[in-house]
Amino acid sequence: MIGRLSGIVLEKQPPFILLDVQGVGYELDAPMSTFYELPAVGEKVVLHTHMVVREDAQLLYGFSRKRERELFRELIKLNGVGPKLALALMSGLEVDDLVRAVQLQDANALIKVPGVGKKTAERLLVELKDRFKAWETLPGPLHVLAPGKGAVPAASQAGDAVSALIALGYKPQEASKAVAAIEEPGLSSEELIRRALKGMV
């Protein structure tokens, strides 16, 4: 199993990352919480990874912190939760918010994530309650790195943000509306996604 990768970021198009590790390009999927902490393209990063081997594919998932990877592993153990839904949950809610929602049995927090209905949310809360008893929530907001050097046209950043939201399970109209509602110019695509996700809550 591949548990950790250290390399250069070649591409980042949420939820996809291409990482150059000594000349070998690794394709990874990652939650938005990891994308917020990624350095600019061309810079070095260390990611904790989880590998899923299926009959038709070998998939690699990357996380900026071990705690995120642990959460991902807990989520995919549940019935009906595959890697895609786990990434959507981790993109819609930060780790501490998700843990807090489970501890408080707050179904409404989970329903806001694409692909999670009321019944699914209630089932997830029941199944996760015992697993999360030992988890502590950490105070303080998630640290966001400054966007990388080199300006990208605003239209391109908005397009990237909309594409990422659609990849996370939102409908195209919802994604476009959420990104268009952010009036502040000059934001990176990662920051646009972050604000759009908050606006959808």
Side-chain angles (χ1 to χ4, degrees):
M1 294 290 285
I2 300 170
R4 179 180 177 275
L5 288 174
S6 176
I8 307 296
V9 179
L10 293 181
E11 294 178 35
K12 50 176 184 175
Q13 177 61 53
F16 167 85
I17 303 169
L18 182 61
L19 198 65
D20 179 0
V21 181
Q22 296 182 345
V24 179
Y26 287 87
E27 294 182 353
L28 306 96
D29 279 356
M32 285 312 304
S33 51
T34 291
F35 271 89
Y36 299 146
E37 298 194 8
L38 282 179
V41 170
E43 293 186 16
K44 193 170 183 178
V45 70
V46 175
L47 293 175
H48 302 283
T49 59
H50 177 82
M51 190 173 183
V52 174
V53 179
R54 301 191 322 217
E55 286 183 13
D56 59 341
Q58 293 184 23
L59 307 170
L60 204 55
Y61 299 90
F63 308 91
S64 58
R65 291 173 295 201
K66 283 186 179 179
R67 195 164 188 261
E68 288 183 332
R69 184 178 64 183
E70 288 169 18
L71 174 61
F72 179 80
R73 287 175 172 172
E74 290 291 348
L75 290 171
I76 61 174
K77 287 177 187 174
L78 304 178
N79 289 329
V81 178
K84 187 174 181 180
L85 181 54
L87 288 184
L89 283 164
M90 294 176 66
S91 294
L93 294 165
E94 293 181 13
V95 176
D96 288 338
D97 292 334
L98 183 53
V99 173
R100 206 173 287 115
V102 172
Q103 290 171 343
L104 298 174
Q105 293 292 286
D106 181 6
N108 290 331
L110 301 188
I111 290 171
K112 293 163 186 168
V113 176
V116 179
K118 187 177 180 182
K119 286 185 179 179
T120 303
E122 289 171 351
R123 180 175 57 80
L124 289 176
L125 290 175
V126 170
E127 291 188 35
L128 286 170
K129 190 172 185 180
D130 289 336
R131 294 176 185 270
F132 278 7
K133 275 183 181 174
W135 284 59
E136 292 181 2
T137 55
L138 300 177
L142 185 68
H143 176 65
V144 181
L145 293 178
K149 295 176 183 176
V152 180
S156 172
Q157 291 168 335
D160 288 348
V162 171
S163 297
L165 291 170
I166 293 170
L168 291 171
Y170 289 94
K171 293 177 181 176
Q173 305 95 304
E174 290 177 327
S176 298
K177 188 176 179 182
V179 172
I182 302 164
E183 297 179 355
E184 190 175 335
L187 296 176
S188 67
S189 55
E190 288 88 354
E191 185 60 23
L192 283 171
I193 296 162
R194 183 183 179 86
R195 295 193 185 193
L197 285 168
K198 284 189 175 181
M200 289 176 171
V201 172

